[in-house]
Structure formats: C-alpha cells, structure tokens
C-alpha cells in the first residue's frame, strides 16, 4: 500500500511524464515518473550528470530512454537480500564554489515497489572523502562539511519481480547553507569495535561496487553503503585484528552486508541511518540475534542465523588473519578520525589495495614479499641493503599543488636498516629522510611536511645504505 501511495503522489506532483509518457491514473499497473522536488530559488550552482560517463555493473543498461536497472543475473550473498540493488557512480566533479547541501532533481520511471536514491559525498581539505550521504524521496542531502569537489552515485532498487527503475536525467543543485551537520563530529582516533565476522566467499560473484570476486580475494563488506569504496578504491578501509592468531590486516570496503544494508552502526545515533536506539558500535543483526531486538528480525524481516556485522573475503579471512571459522574480531574503521588514517590517501605496496586514479606502487630490481605480523594492507616487500638504489616507488596524485605531510609504515625487526633512506620528490627537489626501521613498527611514522606540485608525485625507498640489513617497503600515507 505504501509503495502505491508513493507512486501515485509522484505522478500527481509531476503531472505528465517528462520522459514521453502520459499522466497516469493506475499506479499499480503503470510506472510513475519521479521528479525529485522543485529547485529552490537562488540556488548557488547546478549541473547535469551525463549518464554515459558513469560506471556500474552489467545489470545497469544504457538505453535510448535512459539508464535501466535489469538485475536478472545478480548473485545473492549467503544470507540473501530481499531487494536487489544496483549502484551507478559518476565521476567526481569540481564546482565553482563550495556547497554543503545538494538537492537532486531526477526524471525517472518507477513501478510500485521500485526505489531510486541518490548518494553524495564531498572531498575534505585533507583530500579524503566524507561518507556518502543519501537522499530518499527527493530530499536535499546535507553534507558533513562544505567543499568544492563532490561525487554523485545512484542506488536503484528493483521490485519483487526483478524490475528496476529507468532513469532519464540526473540534475543536481548545490548551495551553501552554513552550519555543521552532526556527522561532521569525529573522534580524535579511529573508532574500533569488537564485531562478529563471517567469511564472504562468493568467488565469481560481483560486489556492490562492481568488483568481480576472485579466489583468495581481499576486501570486506559492511552493512551500509555509506562507507562503500569505489571499484578498486581504498577511500574507506578497516583494520581487522584476530586475537587467536595475533594477526591483523588492513583492507577496503567493497561490498554491502551482512544481513542489513542500512546499518552504519559505527556512527553516532544522531547520524545512524536506522536503529538509532541501539548503542553505537552494535550491529542490528547482533542485537536481533542476541537480544531479540526488532522481534529478532533484520531489516528485511528475516531471523539472522548469526550476529555478524562484517563479512571478510577469503584472502583476508584465511591468509591474512588465519581464521578457520566465523568468529569475533576487532575492527577499526579508519576513515572515522578527523586527522589520522581515515582522512589520508594511502599508497599500499600491493596495487590491488590502491585506487589507480591516485595511488600506485612499483619496484626496481628484485624485492621479496613478506608477511610478518604488523604489516599494513596485504603484506610488504623487502630487499637487502647494497650500493645500488633500485628503489621501491610509492606514487600519489594531487589534483592541485598542495602542502602535505607524509608518513611511512613498516614492520620492525632487528635485521632492519637503522638508516633506511626515503627519497621524497618535493616541489623544490629531492629530500632524503633516513629512518630507523628496527623500531616503531606497525604504525604510522611521520617523514615530514613539504610542498608538492599538481599531478603525480613520488616517494622512493632506496636500498643504498649501510650493508648487512634489509629495508621494508610497506605503505605511505599522504595527509
């Protein structure tokens, strides 16, 4: 009944279809046309996203009439989702002036039972992205902070028959309304909670961000798309530690699940999308399973068979953490800090963990792969010191010239070089910083702060230093 009412309301609000259809009087049979709110007077800036420029999975088909969601071949995760969802992400866009509020103005056809939502995020001064903020039913999106670079993503939900919306136009209007929204409040350190973890598996399937799952893959799923990274991206990462093996791994959020899809349980109750009366850090599936919360049911009316709040892909689950069964782990949500890991660009020593648009890693000569405890991402590389540079090269892209602080991560040990030379190419030339890799392992260590030009910049870890040691190439952080 609710979906029929919503479709009828949209038809009355819009009148005749803006995509060529007639005004509708039988919403239970024919699709409605959704035009999300009228534009406010005095809007600061407006733009149209070109449907041909976005990226989504194969279930999103470009037609003569627009973008159509046809989820016939979607692989469901083990616990299942009652609703099938497709995401379509547009390229990041620079605006002429800062905005903190974005209002979507869409033209789309929806049958009853279908839904169309708009996600928007803003790039912060540190260069990191905020969490995605969602507009439902045409509401304006209030961003956690003002910015001049935003990115837009469509979330298309199919009805019970597997039919999805048809989107004809995506127009947005941004304004600067002032004030600070609740989700701008962040902790000084990344939030960390003890969460029940399950193995995702699903090799050959496709994650919510379009990644095709491969054998021994490395990523995680969280039950909200607010922290869903782009395909192959590392904007939102977690550090997971398993006490029974004393192993940790850092990896990106590439999928949505388990159980729920709108449970950003790591956020404050004032920000949390659903289940606002639960304690921060407690997934709804855990509350339903352990305490009978919500009648013991999840978001879709199902009874969870475990209290999971995170799914872990096979490579991270089996290899990096040494897990053999579903179990409790400690999860740190690295983007939830105002000045640490979560708001920085990280260049990992494994390109599978990097966003190729702004981070890449390469090596000259022969380097060996290591996996001793305390590494960042998916391991590290090391090489013996000798009278030759043959460096490991960390590169990062800056859209504009900026002053940045660089940190390095390594695994400490007695055979590590006490004078490992990091060569930083700055706007003024090369600067060499020698660090002692025998100490301060498993954490970020500041190399320094310098001015960098726009474009690709690099940090090289040379092996040319005192003989008899090894140098460790693990990860670089740019903030």
């Amino acid at each position: 009944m609710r979906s029929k009412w919503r479709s009828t309301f949209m038809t009355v609000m819009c009148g005749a279809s803006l995509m060529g259809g007639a005004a509708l009087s039988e919403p239970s049979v024919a699709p409605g046309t959704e035009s999300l709110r009228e534009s406010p007077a005095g809007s600061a800036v407006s733009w149209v996203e070109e449907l041909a420029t976005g990226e989504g999975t194969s279930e999103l088909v470009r037609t003569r009439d627009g973008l159509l969601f046809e989820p016939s071949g979607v692989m469901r995760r083990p616990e299942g989702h009652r609703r099938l969802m497709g995401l379509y992400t547009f390229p990041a866009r620079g605006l002429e002036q800062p905005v903190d509020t974005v209002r979507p103005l869409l033209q789309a056809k929806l049958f009853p039972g279908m839904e169309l939502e708009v996600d928007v995020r803003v790039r912060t001064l540190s260069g990191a992205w905020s969490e995605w903020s969602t507009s439902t039913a045409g509401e304006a999106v209030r961003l956690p902070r003002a910015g001049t670079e935003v990115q837009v993503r469509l979330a298309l939900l199919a009805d019970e028959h597997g039919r999805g919306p048809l989107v004809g136009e995506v127009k947005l209007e941004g304004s600067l309304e002032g004030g600070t929204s609740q989700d701008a409040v962040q902790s000084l350190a990344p939030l960390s909670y003890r969460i029940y973890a399950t193995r995702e598996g699903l090799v050959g399937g496709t994650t919510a961000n379009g990644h095709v799952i491969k054998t021994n893959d490395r990523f995680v799923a969280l039950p909200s798309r607010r922290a869903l990274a782009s395909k192959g991206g590392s904007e939102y990462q977690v550090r997971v530690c398993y006490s029974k093996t004393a192993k940790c791994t850092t990896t990106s959020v590439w999928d949505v699940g388990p159980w729920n899809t709108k449970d950003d349980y790591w956020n404050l109750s004032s920000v949390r999308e659903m289940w606002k009366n639960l304690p921060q850090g407690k997934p709804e599936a855990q509350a339903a399973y352990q305490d009978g919360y919500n009648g013991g049911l999840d978001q879709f009316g199902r009874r969870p068979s475990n209290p999971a709040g995170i799914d872990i892909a096979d490579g991270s689950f089996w290899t990096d953490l040494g897990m053999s069964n579903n179990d409790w782990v400690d999860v740190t949500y690295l983007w939830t800090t105002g000045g640490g890991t979560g708001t920085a660009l990280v260049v990992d020593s494994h390109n599978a963990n990097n966003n190729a648009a702004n981070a890449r890693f390469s090596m000259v000569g022969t380097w060996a792969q290591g996996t001793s405890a305390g590494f960042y991402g998916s391991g590290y590389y090391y090489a013996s010191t000798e009278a030759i540079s043959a460096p490991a090269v960390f590169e990062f892209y800056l859209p504009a010239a900026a002053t940045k602080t660089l940190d390095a991560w390594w695994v400490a040990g007695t055979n590590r070089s006490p004078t490992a030379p990091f060569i930083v190419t700055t706007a003024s030339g090369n600067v060499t910083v020698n660090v002692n890799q025998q100490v301060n392992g498993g954490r970020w260590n500041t190399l320094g702060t310098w001015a960098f030009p726009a474009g690709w910049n690099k940090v090289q870890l040379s092996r040319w230093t005192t003989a008899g040691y090894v140098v460790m190439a693990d990860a670089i952080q740019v903030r």
Side-chain angles (χ1 to χ4, degrees):
M1 179 61 69
R2 178 179 177 274
S3 62
K4 292 182 180 180
W5 175 88
R6 181 168 178 262
S7 181
T8 304
F9 172 76
M10 290 173 180
T11 302
V12 172
M13 179 178 67
C14 302
S17 168
L18 299 180
M19 294 173 59
L24 305 173
S25 59
E26 297 292 335
S28 61
V29 178
T33 298
E34 182 171 12
S35 179
L36 299 189
R37 296 288 177 91
E38 306 234 346
S39 56
S43 179
V45 62
S46 63
W47 71 95
V48 175
E49 297 287 0
E50 297 295 333
L51 292 175
T53 64
E55 182 180 17
T57 60
S58 59
E59 291 80 28
L60 290 155
V61 182
R62 297 187 185 97
T63 71
R64 185 173 62 179
D65 296 323
L67 181 70
L68 178 64
F69 181 39
E70 294 184 322
S72 57
V74 175
M75 176 180 284
R76 294 176 182 267
R77 61 175 55 252
E79 70 273 11
H81 283 164
R82 180 168 294 179
R83 303 289 300 281
L84 297 177
M85 179 185 68
L87 296 178
Y88 194 74
T89 306
F90 296 101
R93 176 180 294 269
L95 303 178
E96 298 175 355
Q97 55 195 77
V99 301
D100 60 15
T101 303
V102 175
R103 187 181 304 274
L105 304 160
L106 306 187
Q107 294 178 15
K109 288 183 178 178
L110 295 86
F111 281 94
M114 301 178 188
E115 291 187 28
L116 177 59
E117 298 178 338
V118 180
D119 298 336
V120 185
R121 63 181 180 177
V122 61
R123 194 181 290 277
T124 67
L125 293 176
S126 68
W129 287 106
S130 69
E131 283 190 11
W132 293 96
S133 300
T134 300
S135 168
T136 58
E139 299 172 347
V141 175
R142 189 62 186 271
L143 301 173
R145 57 191 61 81
T148 56
E149 186 177 0
V150 299
Q151 190 167 25
V152 176
R153 182 174 70 187
L154 300 180
L156 304 94
L157 280 78
D159 63 16
E160 60 184 4
H161 303 292
R163 299 174 301 185
L166 174 65
V167 182
E169 183 182 71
V170 180
K171 181 179 180 180
L172 300 108
E173 295 184 340
S175 58
L176 186 62
E177 299 186 3
T180 303
S181 73
Q182 286 287 341
D183 55 350
V185 179
Q186 294 177 309
S187 58
L188 296 177
L191 298 171
S192 184
Y193 298 103
R194 189 162 182 78
I195 302 295
Y196 192 78
T198 49
R199 170 182 163 260
E200 175 152 345
L202 296 180
V203 174
T206 303
T207 65
N209 72 355
H211 169 74
V212 178
I213 302 173
K214 61 182 183 294
T215 302
N216 210 35
D217 218 337
R218 290 175 165 87
F219 65 88
V220 300
L222 294 178
S224 169
R225 66 175 190 269
R226 283 186 166 181
L228 179 67
S230 59
K231 183 179 179 180
S234 57
E235 311 98 287
Y236 309 105
Q237 291 192 318
V238 294
R239 182 160 180 80
V240 184
C241 294
Y242 187 41
S243 60
K244 292 183 179 179
T245 60
K247 290 185 175 182
C248 295
T249 187
T250 300
T251 191
S252 299
V253 184
W254 285 357
D255 206 0
V256 177
W259 299 111
N260 295 303
T261 62
K262 292 192 175 185
D263 185 21
D264 50 325
Y265 58 80
W266 52 88
N267 278 327
L268 294 168
S269 60
S270 58
V271 177
R272 191 167 179 169
E273 190 168 10
M274 296 181 69
W275 326 116
K276 293 178 179 292
N277 59 345
L278 284 176
Q280 185 179 6
K282 188 168 189 175
E284 191 278 340
Q286 178 183 339
Y289 182 83
Q290 293 179 334
D291 310 322
Y293 178 83
N294 191 40
L297 306 176
D298 72 352
Q299 173 186 341
F300 302 101
R302 302 163 305 182
R303 193 169 301 277
S305 59
N306 58 57
I310 187 171
D311 272 343
I312 303 177
D314 289 355
S316 300
F317 189 92
W318 283 328
T319 305
D320 297 343
L321 294 172
M323 298 181 71
S324 56
N325 295 296
N326 301 333
D327 207 347
W328 296 92
V329 296
D330 295 298
V331 183
T332 302
Y333 307 82
L334 295 174
W335 68 91
T336 59
T337 173
T341 308
T343 59
L345 168 64
V346 174
V347 186
D348 191 35
S349 54
H350 285 68
N351 278 316
N353 297 331
N354 293 327
N355 182 350
N358 57 19
R360 60 194 185 197
F361 175 79
S362 60
M363 294 171 288
V364 178
T366 301
W367 290 71
Q369 186 173 358
T371 56
S372 295
F375 59 80
Y376 186 96
S378 305
Y380 56 88
Y381 289 91
Y382 65 93
S384 298
T385 55
E386 55 184 311
I388 184 174
S389 184
V393 184
F394 301 85
E395 295 181 87
F396 59 95
Y397 182 85
L398 296 178
T403 297
K404 294 290 184 180
T405 297
L406 301 188
D407 308 310
W409 186 296
W410 58 78
V411 177
T414 56
N415 68 332
R416 277 51 161 171
S417 171
T419 56
F422 284 91
I423 304 171
V424 183
T425 302
T426 74
S428 303
N430 288 346
V431 176
T432 300
V433 180
N434 294 299
V435 303
N436 184 359
Q437 292 190 326
Q438 295 183 357
V439 297
N440 299 325
R443 51 170 265 194
W444 290 116
N445 298 276
T446 300
L447 299 178
T449 302
W450 300 275
F452 294 95
W456 284 99
N457 294 271
K458 65 182 177 181
V459 179
Q460 303 175 81
L461 175 58
S462 172
R463 62 180 79 177
W464 198 331
T465 187
T466 305
Y469 299 97
V470 296
V471 289
M472 315 294 288
D474 196 341
I476 292 292
Q477 176 176 254
V478 184
R479 56 185 173 90

